[in-house]
Amino acid sequence: MPCVKVTAGVVIDFDGRARTLLDALEQQKLTVNFQCREGYCGACRCKLLSGAVSYINEPLAFVRKGEFLPCCSTPDTDIEIEIP
Amino acid sequence: MAYTTFNRQINDQMKEPMFFGNPVNVSRYDQQKYGIFEKLIEKQLSFFWRPEEVDVSKDRIDYQNLPEHEKHIFISNLKYQTLLDSVQGRSPNVAFLPIVSLPELETWIETWAFSETIHSRSYTHIVRNISAEPHKVFDDIMLNERILERADDVTRYYDALIDGINLYQRCGEGTHTINGQSHSISLYELKRRLYLCVMSVNVLEAIRFYVSFACSFAFAERELMEGNAKIIRLIARDEALHLTGTQHMLNIMAAGDDDPDMAKIAKECEEEAYAIFRKAAEQEKDWAEYLFKDGSMIGLNKDILCQYVEYITNSRMQAIGMKAIFSTTQNPIPWINTWLVSDNVQVAPQEAEISSYLVGQIDNEVDGGDFGDFDL
């Protein structure tokens, strides 16, 4: 069960109750910007400080190095992220 | 290098740059230099919709009952959007098609511009429904100072690029005397105009539409003008995709692998790019002031809308690797996100697999333990 550390000090266990990282963050009442929720708009872009994620569907939005889209991804390992 | 609709030169399209290489000859998609544009085309096609599918008949009653200052907000936004989509429905084709060199990008540009023409048609659908005299609404667009002054910034970069392309394709690089007037053009200057044009289009689709979107959804939050809001959601969904398209182009240009000149130009134009964003944000804030000049609407006022402009400008700039220019970090109208989610865009169940129906409804996990109390 990978754990998700958010720079604000919150630690979330990604235990399968949430389908995506965005769902998991929202369940913890963290505000993440979002729009399409399927990877084509890029509104939910967050920084991936450590660890790895994999995409449920490969996103169409441009994702820079060190960034990821929580709306269509799940963590592979423990990850540390920063919400802009 | 005059433009030809069917370039006879046998070339390897995988080695062409996005723009200013050989004109495309065969529209082939078996090999793609940038597969992302093909994916964008597929996505855009899957989004296809027609304005007539959306019932806007209740909006007529709603509109008649709106107080005058809210009618002003509603109809002014519609006029402004009509202008934006008029430009966007034609300009990508006119400006980019003569210089594009990749089949998948050429088709993306055509697909993109086509979807803008649907937006234009949807405004007529809305206006016809709410007004007995739709011609008055459209006639006013060309007379409205507030709209025209922004039209200049929306179209200037397109026009400069198109003008340069005409000269370059007719006469080539150098200084030419045409009708007694001297004009000079270089390929490098053309590339610079292209970069600034794509940047300005990116700003148009990233920021300029969103003030109107916010107002439309603010009406719909009060259960007013809901047919209009449904159409705006479909438009917003398309625009998010177009924005992704221009962001990809800008990022590919800035990376320089595609055309080293473009990376150099991206650096040289950095200051101008910031200026384009800043000016668009200021103009949208002025527009917010004009919209609310006779009074605010419930849930939205000038200050909130201006904060939203700042917030969205920051986030769009960061998406293409620029620094935020405003101090606003929080979305002042978080409720707008639920209106922008594509899952909530209504699609007839027989037409598509709606992912929201599938999420978490059935537990597909089966292991040995589940058969524990099962006897034969």
PDB file of all heavy atoms in Angstrom, chain B residues 72-89:
ATOM      1  N   HIS B  72     -27.556  42.581 -19.530  1.00  0.00           N
ATOM      2  CA  HIS B  72     -26.343  43.179 -20.100  1.00  0.00           C
ATOM      3  C   HIS B  72     -25.155  42.225 -19.947  1.00  0.00           C
ATOM      4  O   HIS B  72     -24.387  42.007 -20.893  1.00  0.00           O
ATOM      5  CB  HIS B  72     -26.064  44.521 -19.406  1.00  0.00           C
ATOM      6  CG  HIS B  72     -24.672  45.039 -19.603  1.00  0.00           C
ATOM      7  ND1 HIS B  72     -24.249  45.595 -20.791  1.00  0.00           N
ATOM      8  CD2 HIS B  72     -23.601  45.063 -18.770  1.00  0.00           C
ATOM      9  CE1 HIS B  72     -22.983  45.951 -20.673  1.00  0.00           C
ATOM     10  NE2 HIS B  72     -22.558  45.634 -19.459  1.00  0.00           N
ATOM     11  N   ILE B  73     -25.017  41.629 -18.755  1.00  0.00           N
ATOM     12  CA  ILE B  73     -23.902  40.702 -18.512  1.00  0.00           C
ATOM     13  C   ILE B  73     -24.002  39.517 -19.470  1.00  0.00           C
ATOM     14  O   ILE B  73     -23.039  39.141 -20.140  1.00  0.00           O
ATOM     15  CB  ILE B  73     -23.917  40.206 -17.043  1.00  0.00           C
ATOM     16  CG1 ILE B  73     -23.648  41.361 -16.083  1.00  0.00           C
ATOM     17  CG2 ILE B  73     -22.903  39.077 -16.837  1.00  0.00           C
ATOM     18  CD1 ILE B  73     -23.887  41.036 -14.625  1.00  0.00           C
ATOM     19  N   PHE B  74     -25.185  38.978 -19.552  1.00  0.00           N
ATOM     20  CA  PHE B  74     -25.366  37.772 -20.361  1.00  0.00           C
ATOM     21  C   PHE B  74     -25.107  38.029 -21.844  1.00  0.00           C
ATOM     22  O   PHE B  74     -24.325  37.329 -22.490  1.00  0.00           O
ATOM     23  CB  PHE B  74     -26.786  37.211 -20.167  1.00  0.00           C
ATOM     24  CG  PHE B  74     -27.003  35.920 -20.888  1.00  0.00           C
ATOM     25  CD1 PHE B  74     -26.633  34.719 -20.293  1.00  0.00           C
ATOM     26  CD2 PHE B  74     -27.541  35.887 -22.163  1.00  0.00           C
ATOM     27  CE1 PHE B  74     -26.798  33.512 -20.967  1.00  0.00           C
ATOM     28  CE2 PHE B  74     -27.708  34.686 -22.842  1.00  0.00           C
ATOM     29  CZ  PHE B  74     -27.339  33.501 -22.241  1.00  0.00           C
ATOM     30  N   ILE B  75     -25.740  39.048 -22.359  1.00  0.00           N
ATOM     31  CA  ILE B  75     -25.683  39.260 -23.813  1.00  0.00           C
ATOM     32  C   ILE B  75     -24.311  39.795 -24.240  1.00  0.00           C
ATOM     33  O   ILE B  75     -23.810  39.457 -25.316  1.00  0.00           O
ATOM     34  CB  ILE B  75     -26.855  40.169 -24.277  1.00  0.00           C
ATOM     35  CG1 ILE B  75     -27.217  39.882 -25.728  1.00  0.00           C
ATOM     36  CG2 ILE B  75     -26.557  41.639 -24.079  1.00  0.00           C
ATOM     37  CD1 ILE B  75     -28.033  38.632 -25.919  1.00  0.00           C
ATOM     38  N   SER B  76     -23.673  40.585 -23.356  1.00  0.00           N
ATOM     39  CA  SER B  76     -22.342  41.106 -23.707  1.00  0.00           C
ATOM     40  C   SER B  76     -21.339  39.960 -23.810  1.00  0.00           C
ATOM     41  O   SER B  76     -20.497  39.938 -24.703  1.00  0.00           O
ATOM     42  CB  SER B  76     -21.859  42.104 -22.657  1.00  0.00           C
ATOM     43  OG  SER B  76     -22.758  43.162 -22.556  1.00  0.00           O
ATOM     44  N   ASN B  77     -21.410  39.030 -22.863  1.00  0.00           N
ATOM     45  CA  ASN B  77     -20.516  37.880 -22.920  1.00  0.00           C
ATOM     46  C   ASN B  77     -20.711  37.079 -24.195  1.00  0.00           C
ATOM     47  O   ASN B  77     -19.764  36.619 -24.821  1.00  0.00           O
ATOM     48  CB  ASN B  77     -20.743  36.964 -21.721  1.00  0.00           C
ATOM     49  CG  ASN B  77     -19.918  37.409 -20.534  1.00  0.00           C
ATOM     50  OD1 ASN B  77     -18.800  37.876 -20.704  1.00  0.00           O
ATOM     51  ND2 ASN B  77     -20.463  37.273 -19.363  1.00  0.00           N
ATOM     52  N   LEU B  78     -21.965  36.922 -24.548  1.00  0.00           N
ATOM     53  CA  LEU B  78     -22.276  36.154 -25.747  1.00  0.00           C
ATOM     54  C   LEU B  78     -21.694  36.839 -26.990  1.00  0.00           C
ATOM     55  O   LEU B  78     -21.137  36.184 -27.875  1.00  0.00           O
ATOM     56  CB  LEU B  78     -23.798  36.032 -25.862  1.00  0.00           C
ATOM     57  CG  LEU B  78     -24.345  34.773 -26.495  1.00  0.00           C
ATOM     58  CD1 LEU B  78     -23.713  33.529 -25.897  1.00  0.00           C
ATOM     59  CD2 LEU B  78     -25.849  34.717 -26.306  1.00  0.00           C
ATOM     60  N   LYS B  79     -21.793  38.157 -27.023  1.00  0.00           N
ATOM     61  CA  LYS B  79     -21.239  38.904 -28.160  1.00  0.00           C
ATOM     62  C   LYS B  79     -19.721  38.736 -28.224  1.00  0.00           C
ATOM     63  O   LYS B  79     -19.155  38.541 -29.295  1.00  0.00           O
ATOM     64  CB  LYS B  79     -21.579  40.396 -28.025  1.00  0.00           C
ATOM     65  CG  LYS B  79     -23.015  40.746 -28.308  1.00  0.00           C
ATOM     66  CD  LYS B  79     -23.219  42.234 -28.057  1.00  0.00           C
ATOM     67  CE  LYS B  79     -24.695  42.580 -28.042  1.00  0.00           C
ATOM     68  NZ  LYS B  79     -24.919  43.930 -27.515  1.00  0.00           N
ATOM     69  N   TYR B  80     -19.105  38.847 -27.085  1.00  0.00           N
ATOM     70  CA  TYR B  80     -17.645  38.726 -27.043  1.00  0.00           C
ATOM     71  C   TYR B  80     -17.197  37.334 -27.481  1.00  0.00           C
ATOM     72  O   TYR B  80     -16.264  37.170 -28.267  1.00  0.00           O
ATOM     73  CB  TYR B  80     -17.164  39.037 -25.623  1.00  0.00           C
ATOM     74  CG  TYR B  80     -15.664  38.944 -25.462  1.00  0.00           C
ATOM     75  CD1 TYR B  80     -14.804  39.473 -26.414  1.00  0.00           C
ATOM     76  CD2 TYR B  80     -15.106  38.328 -24.347  1.00  0.00           C
ATOM     77  CE1 TYR B  80     -13.439  39.397 -26.258  1.00  0.00           C
ATOM     78  CE2 TYR B  80     -13.736  38.247 -24.183  1.00  0.00           C
ATOM     79  CZ  TYR B  80     -12.906  38.778 -25.145  1.00  0.00           C
ATOM     80  OH  TYR B  80     -11.550  38.689 -24.982  1.00  0.00           O
ATOM     81  N   GLN B  81     -17.897  36.321 -26.996  1.00  0.00           N
ATOM     82  CA  GLN B  81     -17.549  34.956 -27.397  1.00  0.00           C
ATOM     83  C   GLN B  81     -17.766  34.749 -28.886  1.00  0.00           C
ATOM     84  O   GLN B  81     -17.018  34.020 -29.537  1.00  0.00           O
ATOM     85  CB  GLN B  81     -18.383  33.949 -26.605  1.00  0.00           C
ATOM     86  CG  GLN B  81     -17.826  33.735 -25.214  1.00  0.00           C
ATOM     87  CD  GLN B  81     -18.627  32.686 -24.479  1.00  0.00           C
ATOM     88  OE1 GLN B  81     -19.626  33.009 -23.859  1.00  0.00           O
ATOM     89  NE2 GLN B  81     -18.225  31.446 -24.553  1.00  0.00           N
ATOM     90  N   THR B  82     -18.807  35.392 -29.429  1.00  0.00           N
ATOM     91  CA  THR B  82     -19.058  35.294 -30.866  1.00  0.00           C
ATOM     92  C   THR B  82     -17.862  35.834 -31.641  1.00  0.00           C
ATOM     93  O   THR B  82     -17.390  35.224 -32.595  1.00  0.00           O
ATOM     94  CB  THR B  82     -20.331  36.076 -31.247  1.00  0.00           C
ATOM     95  OG1 THR B  82     -21.397  35.611 -30.434  1.00  0.00           O
ATOM     96  CG2 THR B  82     -20.677  35.882 -32.711  1.00  0.00           C
ATOM     97  N   LEU B  83     -17.333  36.965 -31.173  1.00  0.00           N
ATOM     98  CA  LEU B  83     -16.149  37.533 -31.822  1.00  0.00           C
ATOM     99  C   LEU B  83     -14.976  36.553 -31.735  1.00  0.00           C
ATOM    100  O   LEU B  83     -14.316  36.270 -32.735  1.00  0.00           O
ATOM    101  CB  LEU B  83     -15.757  38.854 -31.155  1.00  0.00           C
ATOM    102  CG  LEU B  83     -14.316  39.262 -31.493  1.00  0.00           C
ATOM    103  CD1 LEU B  83     -14.269  40.094 -32.746  1.00  0.00           C
ATOM    104  CD2 LEU B  83     -13.615  39.917 -30.353  1.00  0.00           C
ATOM    105  N   LEU B  84     -14.708  36.045 -30.528  1.00  0.00           N
ATOM    106  CA  LEU B  84     -13.545  35.169 -30.349  1.00  0.00           C
ATOM    107  C   LEU B  84     -13.621  33.954 -31.256  1.00  0.00           C
ATOM    108  O   LEU B  84     -12.652  33.561 -31.893  1.00  0.00           O
ATOM    109  CB  LEU B  84     -13.441  34.706 -28.888  1.00  0.00           C
ATOM    110  CG  LEU B  84     -13.083  35.748 -27.839  1.00  0.00           C
ATOM    111  CD1 LEU B  84     -13.013  35.098 -26.464  1.00  0.00           C
ATOM    112  CD2 LEU B  84     -11.759  36.417 -28.154  1.00  0.00           C
ATOM    113  N   ASP B  85     -14.804  33.344 -31.316  1.00  0.00           N
ATOM    114  CA  ASP B  85     -14.923  32.135 -32.126  1.00  0.00           C
ATOM    115  C   ASP B  85     -14.997  32.441 -33.622  1.00  0.00           C
ATOM    116  O   ASP B  85     -14.657  31.586 -34.434  1.00  0.00           O
ATOM    117  CB  ASP B  85     -16.103  31.282 -31.651  1.00  0.00           C
ATOM    118  CG  ASP B  85     -15.683  30.364 -30.514  1.00  0.00           C
ATOM    119  OD1 ASP B  85     -14.597  29.764 -30.621  1.00  0.00           O
ATOM    120  OD2 ASP B  85     -16.419  30.250 -29.520  1.00  0.00           O
ATOM    121  N   SER B  86     -15.426  33.650 -33.978  1.00  0.00           N
ATOM    122  CA  SER B  86     -15.360  34.025 -35.395  1.00  0.00           C
ATOM    123  C   SER B  86     -13.906  34.005 -35.837  1.00  0.00           C
ATOM    124  O   SER B  86     -13.564  33.497 -36.908  1.00  0.00           O
ATOM    125  CB  SER B  86     -15.904  35.442 -35.629  1.00  0.00           C
ATOM    126  OG  SER B  86     -17.197  35.570 -35.123  1.00  0.00           O
ATOM    127  N   VAL B  87     -13.048  34.580 -34.995  1.00  0.00           N
ATOM    128  CA  VAL B  87     -11.622  34.630 -35.309  1.00  0.00           C
ATOM    129  C   VAL B  87     -11.026  33.225 -35.303  1.00  0.00           C
ATOM    130  O   VAL B  87     -10.300  32.828 -36.221  1.00  0.00           O
ATOM    131  CB  VAL B  87     -10.883  35.532 -34.289  1.00  0.00           C
ATOM    132  CG1 VAL B  87      -9.386  35.455 -34.476  1.00  0.00           C
ATOM    133  CG2 VAL B  87     -11.368  36.962 -34.408  1.00  0.00           C
ATOM    134  N   GLN B  88     -11.366  32.468 -34.285  1.00  0.00           N
ATOM    135  CA  GLN B  88     -10.766  31.146 -34.144  1.00  0.00           C
ATOM    136  C   GLN B  88     -11.283  30.133 -35.166  1.00  0.00           C
ATOM    137  O   GLN B  88     -10.642  29.130 -35.432  1.00  0.00           O
ATOM    138  CB  GLN B  88     -10.994  30.605 -32.719  1.00  0.00           C
ATOM    139  CG  GLN B  88      -9.981  31.125 -31.724  1.00  0.00           C
ATOM    140  CD  GLN B  88      -8.559  30.827 -32.145  1.00  0.00           C
ATOM    141  OE1 GLN B  88      -7.926  31.625 -32.810  1.00  0.00           O
ATOM    142  NE2 GLN B  88      -8.061  29.660 -31.797  1.00  0.00           N
ATOM    143  N   GLY B  89     -12.448  30.385 -35.717  1.00  0.00           N
ATOM    144  CA  GLY B  89     -12.996  29.456 -36.697  1.00  0.00           C
ATOM    145  C   GLY B  89     -12.273  29.544 -38.035  1.00  0.00           C
ATOM    146  O   GLY B  89     -12.286  28.605 -38.821  1.00  0.00           O
TER     147      GLY B  89
END
